[in-house]
Amino acid sequence: MNDMLNSPSLQRGRVEGAKKQDCSFDTSLWPDSPQGANTVESWLNQAWLNTYTKMILACCHDIIREQYLDTSKSLYIVFPHTAAYQFGLSLLYKLLDSMDSQGLKEVNVCCLFASYNSKYSDKLSQHPDFSHFYKNGHAKIIAWDFYSDKEFPQKCIEGEFLDLSANPGIFIANGLFSQLPQHLCKFHGQALYQAEFQLLQQDKAIEKSEFESKSNPEMPMFWNIRKENKAALTTTNKDETQSIECKWQLRDKSEITNNLSPGLSVCLNEALEQRMNEGAIKTFSLPLEVVSILETVNLAFPKGSLSLLSDFAQQRGLTLTCPLTENTMVLPLDFELVEQLTSHIGHGYTVQFPFGQKALHVLFSQNYKNDDFLLTRYQLEQCCLLKSPDSAEYVIDSLHGAAKVLTERQIRAHIVQSEYDPKVLAIFLSRLISEGITLQHRLEWCDLLNRVWGNYIILLDHDAFGFDLGLLAIDVGHWALAKSCFLTCMQSCGPSTACLHNFAVAAFATGELLTAKQSLDLALTLSPTDKQSKRLASDIDAYELRWTNLDWCDLSAEIEKHNETVALKVVPLGEHHLAEYYLQYRKPEISESLRGDKFESFEQLQARWLSWLEEGNSNKKAHFAIVHEAVGFVGGIVVDFLPSNHAIQDESIVSYEHSLHLSFWIGCDYQQKGFGKSSVALVIQYLRNSIVYQNYTHIVTSAWAHNTASRKILRQLGFKELQKTQHEGVKREVFYSLQLQSE
């Protein structure tokens, strides 16, 4: 046995003299609790979410068919770490959206998020998406540190009893169990050795040459690490550098199997015997903590459980892909051992993905027969074998190198192909913000961004993606999305000057002046010297001041109060509308139908704006903007205080000199959506109810004879076609009149 201990394959670390005396090998390299947040993020893509959604839906069908489900009670889905809240909430959205179409409306799904930190659970409870699900009974938090607690809690943190015995349970863990402590072992002949580790200060560390020398093979796993990353064996802090040292201790099998449950002890003995009989010198890890947690879950649900365990898998023996992260060790799982060691709990199997280093282990508790979950098994094969979710991560990773070279159309195609995955958009987001998008695809982008946002769960504390998506929404004029992004960011991360300012920009664009001013007041309270907020506040004040000083404009509330049933407002045209005015006026058909100005550039529109200001100030014409609460500027209306010598001479008009001339247009992105009829109706109602216009008796207007859309709107709103026409052929102009006041 002594010869065996001194053999090259098991040679201990060469810590000489005083260094050896200081190396007690009692330092733990495992975290106090799994970090979770960094790991879970890599699994949060639409392919993984779709895989789990389809499997859980299939599981629901199976347990209904086998009469395991009590529809009056909750079906609990357990996430063992609050760091998985993004994944869990995203999954919950997909499940609830799909259940109606799957005929599963009666299933009461409730996600349980385990938390070992009350401070973090308190923060999660304030998350807007979690709050939504909590109010509807679809999400709760349990105080369970699965890292150390062996019993599953019977109550949620608010004290409400959880009826775990009513239905089977579903347990999901993605990328978390590889962070749990594992026993590193090695068989050499008939002897079992267990690894122990020590972190050493730089002045106590063994010589670098001893690690690099191939004549020192006591830890062959380290050679692979050193080749991939020379810094992997050390971690540098501000004040010190640490290195890792390992030694092997001879162990009896009973020393490892002691204090385990009887079932796990038997399975472990069988697994160790099998590896010992293989005769090879092979390093392996024992995921005993993982199995203990699965045992706990199995005991918590008397009606049985389905456990879905996705994690990094060992490939071709044990390698430490990330041995030292903030002085902690992370090991991939030996899924073959997991399958062996959980055989006393139930029957499970592992799907190893075609490429990559991930696997999905499915464990059905002993309560079920092999043929109880045929549909669930079928969905697993369809989702994982035929269309591996692991492959989606490789596609996403490959896009990082192409972020600057793909065309805009290719970017959209990748986002659509990924099923509107936020992770894909995030790769291109900074480029899209800096370069903008092509005008002709604006509406496609608005729809695409809506779908991506629908798949996204905002992060607590700080969310760069939600903020940047809001900036892009402002750039494309998608004001509803912009407001949603910044409002949700503030709900999750607290108010900030930047979010408040950007929210005010969107509110100003959609005519919500009071909301915009309140947002800016708070922004300036947080940052009194913020130049952008001050400038925007000044612009809003100037717009309101001009509005109230116009003779032809009644109080702003008089215009808005008539808009209680539709999402449109008619407000005086302001300089802040000009960019969207130019965007929506860009097609030549609009200027032709109006017989109005054509703008070849935005500068031409800005120059024309000065004359429109003068027309308004001199009470010649009133220029209104049609604003939608979601998309902002959609068109314009002009009311001309018609001089008598330009009046339409027609017998149906009693008083020609007291007539108003009306013209309107709807932007090219929003035609044939009913905005024209609604906005003209709003203006008519405003003109009739405002004392400013009580001396006017009629509204007159005209349209090209071939402009059937405008003529239809006028007829529906009560305009009468006059006998008078002008010109012939394609330039034939038809005139209409509407009585404004009762005679």
Side-chain angles (χ1 to χ4, degrees):
M1 182 63 68
N2 290 332
D3 292 339
M4 219 173 268
L5 284 171
N6 294 322
S7 65
S9 61
L10 291 177
Q11 187 174 13
R12 299 179 182 179
R14 300 174 183 176
V15 185
E16 304 295 340
K19 294 180 181 178
K20 185 172 182 179
Q21 295 175 8
D22 292 336
C23 186
S24 61
F25 289 93
D26 59 357
T27 300
S28 173
L29 295 176
W30 304 104
D32 293 334
S33 282
Q35 302 303 303
N38 295 330
T39 306
V40 171
E41 183 183 356
S42 67
W43 304 80
L44 187 58
N45 62 54
Q46 295 305 301
W48 275 107
L49 287 167
N50 289 336
T51 295
Y52 277 111
T53 300
K54 291 176 181 178
M55 290 185 65
I56 294 174
L57 291 172
C59 177
C60 290
H61 284 295
D62 282 333
I63 61 179
I64 289 174
R65 185 188 66 244
E66 299 296 332
Q67 298 182 345
Y68 293 142
L69 183 69
D70 181 352
T71 56
S72 67
K73 305 293 184 180
S74 294
L75 174 67
Y76 292 116
I77 302 175
V78 181
F79 290 90
H81 202 298
T82 46
Y85 73 90
Q86 267 195 312
F87 191 95
L89 295 175
S90 298
L91 179 63
L92 195 49
Y93 269 114
K94 286 186 174 293
L95 280 174
L96 296 178
D97 283 346
S98 304
M99 281 185 161
D100 280 353
S101 61
Q102 292 268 334
L104 297 170
K105 189 176 182 179
E106 73 277 13
V107 180
N108 299 311
V109 173
C110 180
C111 284
L112 301 179
F113 295 91
S115 175
Y116 63 89
N117 187 318
S118 60
K119 182 178 179 180
Y120 197 84
S121 61
D122 290 343
K123 184 176 284 291
L124 178 59
S125 65
Q126 301 302 316
H127 190 283
D129 292 283
F130 181 89
S131 300
H132 166 75
F133 286 125
Y134 176 79
K135 291 175 183 177
N136 292 281
H138 293 305
K140 299 182 186 299
I141 300 175
I142 55 175
W144 181 41
D145 183 359
F146 71 95
Y147 184 86
S148 57
D149 295 345
K150 299 306 179 185
E151 292 186 2
F152 195 88
Q154 300 296 310
K155 298 179 180 179
C156 64
I157 59 174
E158 294 85 3
E160 180 184 350
F161 177 73
L162 302 174
D163 194 354
L164 303 177
S165 62
N167 283 314
I170 299 174
F171 179 77
I172 295 177
N174 276 11
L176 289 173
F177 283 175
S178 58
Q179 300 180 62
L180 288 172
Q182 300 185 54
H183 297 271
L184 261 64
C185 299
K186 180 185 289 189
F187 275 111
H188 185 51
Q190 298 296 309
L192 173 65
Y193 295 88
Q194 184 177 5
E196 291 186 352
F197 297 93
Q198 170 70 32
L199 289 178
L200 300 175
Q201 302 302 326
Q202 188 175 29
D203 59 347
K204 298 179 181 179
I206 34 180
E207 297 296 330
K208 182 178 180 182
S209 59
E210 294 194 38
F211 271 117
E212 294 185 344
S213 172
K214 292 187 178 181
S215 64
N216 180 16
E218 73 269 19
M219 285 293 283
M221 64 192 76
F222 281 149
W223 307 135
N224 187 25
I225 300 166
R226 186 173 56 80
K227 291 176 182 177
E228 293 180 2
N229 182 1
K230 292 182 179 180
L233 289 176
T234 62
T235 176
T236 302
N237 297 323
K238 183 177 181 180
D239 301 323
E240 60 186 22
T241 299
Q242 295 176 315
S243 61
I244 189 172
E245 167 66 357
C246 168
K247 74 174 181 180
W248 294 94
Q249 295 280 29
L250 181 64
R251 291 282 188 263
D252 186 85
K253 284 191 297 183
S254 61
E255 294 182 71
I256 299 178
T257 58
N258 282 343
N259 301 319
L260 299 178
S261 65
L264 177 56
S265 180
V266 171
C267 292
L268 179 57
N269 270 304
E270 293 177 355
L272 293 177
E273 287 289 340
Q274 177 183 332
R275 275 160 176 69
M276 184 176 64
N277 293 333
E278 290 174 357
I281 301 175
K282 182 179 180 182
T283 303
F284 60 95
S285 60
L286 296 175
L288 300 182
E289 294 288 340
V290 173
V291 180
S292 296
I293 292 169
L294 294 175
E295 283 182 326
T296 301
V297 173
N298 184 58
L299 291 173
F301 294 95
K303 270 197 171 183
S305 60
L306 168 66
S307 296
L308 304 174
L309 171 60
S310 303
D311 222 307
F312 300 95
Q314 292 181 17
Q315 302 286 327
R316 301 176 184 176
L318 178 61
T319 58
L320 300 181
T321 56
C322 184
L324 208 57
T325 305
E326 297 179 355
N327 300 346
T328 63
M329 184 175 291
V330 177
L331 290 179
L333 294 182
D334 186 335
F335 276 89
E336 181 183 349
L337 261 176
V338 171
E339 196 165 332
Q340 285 181 282
L341 299 181
T342 55
S343 60
H344 69 291
I345 304 173
H347 46 279
Y349 58 97
T350 300
V351 176
Q352 183 72 53
F353 299 120
F355 26 69
Q357 295 183 340
K358 293 182 179 178
L360 173 59
H361 181 70
V362 182
L363 177 65
F364 300 95
S365 71
Q366 291 285 21
N367 303 57
Y368 306 124
K369 303 185 293 293
N370 280 322
D371 57 353
D372 281 349
F373 288 86
L374 295 178
L375 184 57
T376 307
R377 291 174 181 269
Y378 171 76
Q379 282 293 357
L380 175 66
E381 294 172 359
Q382 294 294 308
C383 295
C384 296
L385 297 181
L386 300 182
K387 189 178 180 181
S388 165
D390 197 34
S391 64
E393 293 181 32
Y394 281 83
V395 174
I396 293 172
D397 289 342
S398 69
L399 292 176
H400 284 89
K404 297 182 179 179
V405 297
L406 293 181
T407 66
E408 186 181 314
R409 179 172 293 182
Q410 290 171 327
I411 293 173
R412 288 203 314 275
H414 277 292
I415 296 172
V416 173
Q417 187 67 26
S418 70
E419 300 185 69
Y420 305 96
D421 198 321
K423 292 184 74 171
V424 178
L425 175 60
I427 296 171
F428 306 100
L429 200 48
S430 60
R431 173 187 163 185
L432 293 171
I433 292 173
S434 62
E435 297 181 5
I437 63 168
T438 53
L439 203 56
Q440 61 267 33
H441 298 300
R442 173 178 170 271
L443 292 184
E444 295 176 50
W445 274 108
C446 288
D447 178 67
L448 183 147
L449 297 180
N450 256 348
R451 293 173 182 267
V452 172
W453 180 243
N455 286 333
Y456 186 68
I457 300 295
I458 206 83
L459 281 171
L460 293 166
D461 297 323
H462 176 69
D463 194 284
F465 178 83
F467 184 87
D468 288 346
L469 181 57
L471 292 180
L472 183 59
I474 288 179
D475 287 345
V476 301
H478 193 340
W479 302 111
L481 176 59
K483 286 185 281 189
S484 180
C485 287
F486 295 120
L487 182 60
T488 308
C489 281
M490 289 188 287
Q491 288 175 332
S492 297
C493 312
S496 68
T497 301
C499 282
L500 289 164
H501 169 270
N502 294 338
F503 185 80
V505 170
F508 188 28
T510 54
E512 301 168 274
L513 299 188
L514 180 59
T515 301
K517 293 172 69 175
Q518 290 173 340
S519 182
L520 288 172
D521 286 344
L522 183 54
L524 290 170
T525 300
L526 295 176
S527 302
T529 60
D530 185 67
K531 294 181 179 179
Q532 286 185 310
S533 297
K534 284 185 173 181
R535 184 163 55 249
L536 181 58
S538 176
D539 291 342
I540 294 175
D541 288 341
Y543 175 69
E544 275 197 307
L545 180 62
R546 177 176 178 270
W547 189 333
T548 55
N549 288 335
L550 293 173
D551 292 341
W552 49 266
C553 183
D554 221 331
L555 294 176
S556 59
E558 290 295 320
I559 300 179
E560 296 182 15
K561 75 177 184 181
H562 306 301
N563 183 29
E564 297 175 353
T565 59
V566 293
L568 290 173
K569 296 179 182 178
V570 178
V571 299
L573 184 68
E575 190 171 6
H576 63 289
H577 294 126
L578 294 186
E580 290 184 280
Y581 189 113
Y582 183 72
L583 172 67
Q584 296 305 326
Y585 195 79
R586 66 186 184 272
K587 289 191 176 180
E589 306 93 86
I590 296 177
S591 59
E592 290 173 2
S593 66
L594 292 171
R595 298 167 299 282
D597 299 311
K598 294 182 179 180
F599 303 112
E600 302 295 335
S601 66
F602 182 67
E603 289 71 22
Q604 289 182 356
L605 175 60
Q606 287 179 308
R608 189 70 177 91
W609 164 246
L610 298 177
S611 62
W612 291 345
L613 280 176
E614 177 57 31
E615 289 175 347
N617 293 337
S618 60
N619 297 319
K620 293 179 179 178
K621 291 183 180 180
H623 292 268
F624 292 99
I626 307 168
V627 176
H628 190 278
E629 66 181 16
V631 297
F633 184 91
V634 298
I637 291 179
V638 179
V639 177
D640 190 347
F641 306 103
L642 192 66
S644 59
N645 59 340
H646 291 144
I648 301 171
Q649 301 297 319
D650 190 275
E651 59 185 15
S652 62
I653 300 179
V654 177
S655 177
Y656 305 115
E657 61 182 8
H658 294 293
S659 299
L660 301 170
H661 187 275
L662 176 74
S663 61
F664 67 95
W665 63 276
I666 299 298
C668 52
D669 289 340
Y670 304 111
Q671 294 178 354
Q672 298 181 347
K673 298 182 183 296
F675 291 163
K677 180 181 177 182
S678 296
S679 56
V680 173
L682 285 173
V683 168
I684 292 172
Q685 190 175 20
Y686 166 67
L687 294 175
R688 282 175 170 168
N689 288 300
S690 173
I691 60 173
V692 174
Y693 301 95
Q694 62 183 357
N695 294 326
Y696 292 92
T697 59
H698 289 78
I699 303 174
V700 295
T701 188
S702 64
W704 297 116
H706 59 267
N707 189 351
T708 56
S710 294
R711 295 179 67 185
K712 181 180 179 181
I713 289 173
L714 294 173
R715 287 194 298 270
Q716 290 176 339
L717 293 175
F719 281 84
K720 294 181 180 179
E721 185 174 336
L722 304 180
Q723 296 179 0
K724 178 178 175 61
T725 61
Q726 190 169 288
H727 308 299
E728 297 295 333
V730 295
K731 291 188 176 183
R732 182 169 174 264
E733 191 174 3
V734 182
F735 293 86
Y736 290 86
S737 171
L738 175 70
Q739 185 171 311
L740 187 59
Q741 306 291 353
S742 57
E743 298 182 18

